[in-house]
Amino acid sequence: MMPRCSVQSNDVQLFQSLTGLQQLSETHRFKAWFLDQFGVLHDGKQPYPGAITTLKNLASSGAKMVIISNSSRRSSTTMEKLRSLGFDPSLFVGAITSGELTHQNLQRDDAWFAALGKSCIHMTWSARGAISLEGLGLQVVENVQDAEFILVHGTEALGLPSGDALPMKLEELESILEQCAAKHIPMVVANPDFVTVEARALRVMPGTLAARYEKLGGEVKWMGKPDKVIYKSAMALAGVDPADSIAVGDSLHHDIKGANAAVIQSVFITAGIHATELGLSSFGDVADTSSVQALASKYDAYPSYVLPAFTW
């Protein structure tokens, strides 16, 4: 049996390097696998080599698989995206996205969300497709003075009352945030990622705006990884306990740190957003152990296992 890997031990961070997931799967230690999508399964445009086959093999082993993603889109949209890229949605128990959590919480009687009000500045996507707020009963406003809170789904545009989106540069959106901070209104960010992998390039994500708002003194509600709420939701969906769960992701700050917070084991995929930091030039390159160790310490996020890519 494969030795159990601890998350951390005194000053030495322990992880086991793998060449593929077959060895780990065959231990049958984990009933549920919580999988990030961007940087693990695909790059937003196409599946990574071996990803579809690896998913099928995991499913054949009896593993329950749940997509947990910081996507600002709802779970159903995420599953359709996977289908369009050639993945079989029936292999998954379901998907939990930060966008779905945001939508659900905006509809609930949670005291913090109920206190937000209904008028919001909406930062969304343009080229990637604006996100609908239908069914939430919100009033999108353009004037900061009319806003009670900020809702951030994207980094490309300002949502308009008509439902359309006005494309804006990141600097323009940050200028609006400065006005919001002066008014002391809270922000809900529906995608905590700072960047994501898209066609082998890094794209700025809503978490960057949220981090900027916090630096301005604003209050931010982060919906998604690394908060353990998304892992708890995934465990509830799969009907498992932390000891039966393992998370797979490419972001140390979001995926691995979140798994640490949820007290579950994790697999760090080095071919994703940290590839450049690790000195990797080609897909599937093996990262130097000491480089992974140093990067894990930098982000204070400690994987149980390290793998070049999501392969069998």
Side-chain angles (χ1 to χ4, degrees):
M1 177 178 288
M2 183 177 296
R4 184 178 181 87
C5 295
S6 60
V7 172
Q8 61 184 99
S9 174
N10 297 326
D11 294 329
V12 178
Q13 311 309 330
L14 305 177
F15 59 79
Q16 182 170 344
S17 296
L18 303 174
T19 56
L21 286 179
Q22 180 177 4
Q23 184 184 8
L24 186 57
S25 172
E26 289 177 349
T27 66
H28 297 289
R29 279 187 51 206
F30 304 107
K31 296 178 182 177
W33 292 65
F34 304 144
L35 309 176
D36 182 35
Q37 51 169 341
F38 287 88
V40 174
L41 301 181
H42 62 81
D43 66 0
K45 302 295 182 183
Q46 60 185 1
Y48 285 122
I52 291 178
T53 299
T54 300
L55 279 177
K56 291 178 179 177
N57 289 337
L58 274 177
S60 297
S61 74
K64 296 180 178 180
M65 295 184 293
V66 179
I67 293 292
I68 57 169
S69 172
N70 275 353
S71 169
S72 50
R73 303 186 187 280
R74 300 193 66 185
S75 296
S76 58
T77 304
T78 291
M79 296 307 284
E80 283 304 312
K81 171 74 171 181
L82 288 170
R83 185 195 302 275
S84 73
L85 292 175
F87 295 95
D88 181 358
S90 70
L91 297 180
F92 303 96
V93 175
I96 298 176
T97 67
S98 52
E100 184 69 38
L101 291 176
T102 300
H103 190 93
Q104 291 177 2
N105 277 278
L106 285 169
Q107 290 181 315
R108 291 175 181 164
D109 295 328
D110 175 87
W112 191 90
F113 280 91
L116 285 175
K118 293 297 183 181
S119 301
C120 69
I121 291 288
H122 185 213
M123 296 182 178
T124 184
W125 298 113
S126 176
R128 294 166 66 95
I131 292 179
S132 171
L133 303 183
E134 185 178 355
L136 292 176
L138 298 177
Q139 179 185 0
V140 175
V141 297
E142 295 178 71
N143 192 327
V144 171
Q145 295 309 312
D146 297 328
E148 296 171 287
F149 72 101
I150 317 154
L151 179 58
V152 184
H153 278 106
T155 62
E156 295 176 339
L158 182 68
L160 301 177
S162 64
D164 294 330
L166 177 65
M168 284 192 175
K169 295 179 180 179
L170 193 66
E171 294 77 11
E172 294 175 296
L173 294 176
E174 289 178 336
S175 178
I176 294 173
L177 291 184
E178 292 176 3
Q179 299 174 50
C180 293
K183 193 184 176 188
H184 304 291
I185 58 175
M187 170 191 286
V188 177
V189 59
N191 182 333
D193 283 352
F194 301 127
V195 295
T196 193
V197 175
E198 187 167 285
R200 302 301 175 98
L202 294 182
R203 180 182 288 270
V204 175
M205 300 303 283
T208 296
L209 288 174
R212 171 64 176 159
Y213 198 58
E214 282 191 332
K215 287 183 179 179
L216 291 169
E219 178 186 6
V220 176
K221 176 70 80 171
W222 297 81
M223 300 301 296
K225 299 176 285 187
D227 193 290
K228 60 186 176 183
V229 63
I230 197 167
Y231 296 89
K232 287 185 175 181
S233 297
M235 284 186 271
L237 182 62
V240 296
D241 296 321
D244 299 319
S245 308
I246 188 165
V248 183
D250 70 315
S251 170
L252 285 166
H253 175 75
H254 295 98
D255 301 305
I256 306 306
K257 193 161 192 158
N260 292 168
V263 197
I264 65 175
Q265 300 286 294
S266 62
V267 178
F268 172 43
I269 302 297
T270 58
I273 65 169
H274 295 295
T276 299
E277 288 178 278
L278 291 168
L280 306 177
S281 57
S282 300
F283 181 83
D285 283 354
V286 178
D288 179 74
T289 299
S290 61
S291 296
V292 175
Q293 188 111 347
L295 203 61
S297 296
K298 173 184 174 181
Y299 287 94
D300 191 27
Y302 305 103
S304 313
Y305 306 93
V306 174
L307 189 65
F310 187 74
T311 55
W312 192 246

